[in-house]
Amino acid sequence: MRIIQCLHQDRPRAALVESETTVRLLEADTYALARRAIADGRSLGEVVEAALTETRLDYQQLIDEARLLPPLTHPDPAHCLVTGTGLTHLGSADTRASMHAKTQADESELTDSMRMFKLGVEGGKPAAGETGAQPEWFYKGDGDCVVAPEAPLPVPAFAEDAGEEPELAGLFVIGDDGRPWRVGHAIGNEFSDHVTERFNYLWLAHSKLRHCSFGPELLIGELPEHLEGTSRIVRDGETLWEKPFLTGEANMAHSLANLEHHHFKYAGFRRPGDVHVHFFGTATLSFADGIQTRDGDRFEISLPAFGRTLRNPLAFDTEATDTPVHSL
């Protein structure tokens, strides 16, 4: 089952994807339906089936009229936390190894990144009842940093780079008792400043404070262990760069349960009613192939199991924002 979220009569509403061209409107938005499922002790799929209306909408028309929304939002963006984990995919080793090939034989000379990756490979998929290695973790922002599918991704004037990161995103709602509930998964473009990150890994936190996008469809139910997708950049109507990517647990050093555990073990991330969007990492970047993006380029990330492609053009800010601090 896959659902989207859109504006209908100026209000967010969820809709069931019936085909490539048609969606069937639901009586509430995704957040309200998830809260209903938690309160009633039912699966989200059951709640969706019970909330179907007879109204059907044209999928492409929603896109053309800019009415498509991220598939899960909170009524108050401050109560949506956007985070992620890195060095999680087995393919990450290829790039890291080529960068640090001369040090592979000497454990003491491994970079911090390679040491973190090695921890994940050795302990990222713990046995039942055990706690695995904790991953690299980062914060992106609250709900205001999320851009709807098809909408432009803003690039601040101070940015050194604007690069895509094709990833799985886990979408969660925290119950009234503080228990995290997984709503489902979506295609995500975590979007980072790789030049800033490359200069010094201690600037990773700065490089992640950018907008992002996920959707357009939310996959409800069991996630396939092996997923094959395509990431591309389109410039002036032509494909500038294209590459396949792998994701899903079969292609990861960490289990998703381990990544979820190390996020939600913090009490501050279990605040009742909050929404969490958590990116699970990638091993495929156009930046690694020397691509430099520019204004108007469009990112396209597709995973067949998730329906429609996630597409976002780039919009570069040309004027720096002056933000002086005033004394009270």
Side-chain angles (χ1 to χ4, degrees), residues 241-298:
W241 174 89
E242 181 177 278
K243 203 165 192 176
F245 70 94
L246 301 176
T247 190
E249 282 197 359
N251 303 293
M252 297 175 67
H254 290 261
S255 65
L256 295 178
N258 188 54
L259 299 178
E260 292 171 343
H261 164 77
H262 284 294
H263 178 69
F264 291 112
K265 69 184 181 184
Y266 296 102
F269 294 158
R270 301 194 303 273
R271 186 169 56 186
D274 279 4
V275 165
H276 285 253
V277 178
H278 194 72
F279 290 94
F280 289 120
T282 188
T284 304
L285 309 171
S286 64
F287 176 76
D289 291 337
I291 299 297
Q292 291 184 316
T293 56
R294 66 189 191 196
D295 190 70
D297 287 351
R298 186 175 71 234

Side-chain angles (χ1 to χ4, degrees), residues 109-188:
E109 294 184 19
L110 289 177
T111 64
D112 287 340
S113 292
M114 282 301 294
R115 196 172 290 114
M116 180 67 70
F117 177 81
K118 191 169 182 288
L119 281 174
V121 171
E122 294 175 350
K125 294 183 175 180
E130 297 182 1
T131 299
Q134 64 182 7
E136 176 189 67
W137 181 96
F138 56 84
Y139 171 73
K140 286 195 67 69
D142 63 15
D144 280 332
C145 81
V146 178
V147 170
E150 302 289 332
L153 282 164
V155 182
F158 59 77
E160 300 288 342
D161 177 50
E164 86 299 336
E165 295 207 10
E167 309 188 13
L168 285 176
L171 310 181
F172 307 86
V173 171
I174 310 301
D176 290 339
D177 60 356
R179 181 179 176 183
W181 291 86
R182 186 188 314 106
V183 180
H185 298 89
I187 303 172

Side-chain angles (χ1 to χ4, degrees), residues 69-93:
L69 298 173
L72 175 65
T73 52
H74 193 286
D76 178 0
H79 284 276
C80 172
L81 295 179
V82 186
T83 55
T85 49
L87 298 172
T88 53
H89 282 62
L90 295 172
S92 301

